[in-house]
Amino acid sequence: MRRKISFAVATVAVAAVALTNPVVADAARRIGSGDIRNDSVRSKDVHNDTLRSKDIHDGSIKAKDLRIGAGSVSAYARVIATGVVPTLDAGRTKNVVSVTRVSTGVYCLELAAGVNRTVAVVAAPEGALGNASAQWTNDCGTNGIQVQTERLSVGGGGNLNSTVENSVSFHVLVP
């Protein structure tokens, strides 16, 4: 019995010293982004399904963050659709050679030779994630993919309405 009490007292004493030690207390604080060295977090450090759209800010993913040729993505692009003529963001585009608006809210992105357009293409709206939509709809051009953008709203009776429109910039990934 005496041995069990001594062990308990020793455990409490060690815990008290650890908690009052300034080094231990400092280490126990929350680690922020300023505490993490650039390029030190890898995909193995991030658990599946833990990152959300709110964790990724517009402009935070750059071309260097995507590994082309490593089996993950063969082409990607950021399409700026808010002007009269849609444009590709050169810093965040790889193996997409051009974009044209073929009708209201419908775009044709021509892919570089050798990129397979028959795989599942991922398209996502930029910024207004809650009220915009972008989706791959078809093939187009010589080796192109077609993307349609829409603005979403809630109408009478709570029905979800979508309007095809030109003002939705978007991102595409081609595996």
Side-chain angles (χ1 to χ4, degrees), residues 14-25:
V14 169
V17 169
L19 290 175
T20 58
N21 183 324
V23 174
V24 174

Side-chain angles (χ1 to χ4, degrees), residues 1 3 14 17 25-26 44-45 48 64 66 76-77 79 108 116-117 126 130-131 135 144 150 152 166:
M1 176 79 164
R3 178 177 259 169
V14 169
V17 169
D26 186 51
K44 69 179 183 178
D45 301 319
N48 289 343
K64 66 179 183 135
L66 301 171
Y76 57 89
V79 177
C108 182
N116 183 0
R117 72 175 177 181
E126 179 175 270
N131 69 347
Q135 62 270 344
E150 301 173 323
L152 307 172
N166 293 336

Side-chain angles (χ1 to χ4, degrees), residues 108-125:
C108 182
L109 287 80
E110 192 65 30
L111 306 175
V115 176
N116 183 0
R117 72 175 177 181
T118 64
V119 296
V121 175
V122 176

Side-chain angles (χ1 to χ4, degrees), residues 9-86:
V9 170
T11 301
V12 169
V14 169
V17 169
L19 290 175
T20 58
N21 183 324
V23 174
V24 174
D26 186 51
R29 70 176 166 71
R30 183 170 186 238
I31 296 174
S33 62
D35 302 314
I36 300 171
R37 190 177 70 231
N38 287 346
D39 300 322
S40 64
V41 176
R42 304 283 183 234
S43 61
K44 69 179 183 178
D45 301 319
V46 180
H47 295 282
N48 289 343
D49 300 321
T50 60
L51 290 179
R52 303 287 182 245
S53 59
K54 68 179 183 175
D55 300 321
I56 302 172
H57 303 286
D58 286 345
S60 65
I61 296 179
K62 306 290 185 214
K64 66 179 183 135
D65 299 321
L66 301 171
R67 292 182 183 237
I68 302 303
S72 57
V73 178
S74 61
Y76 57 89
R78 174 179 179 240
V79 177
I80 303 166
T82 55
V84 175
V85 177

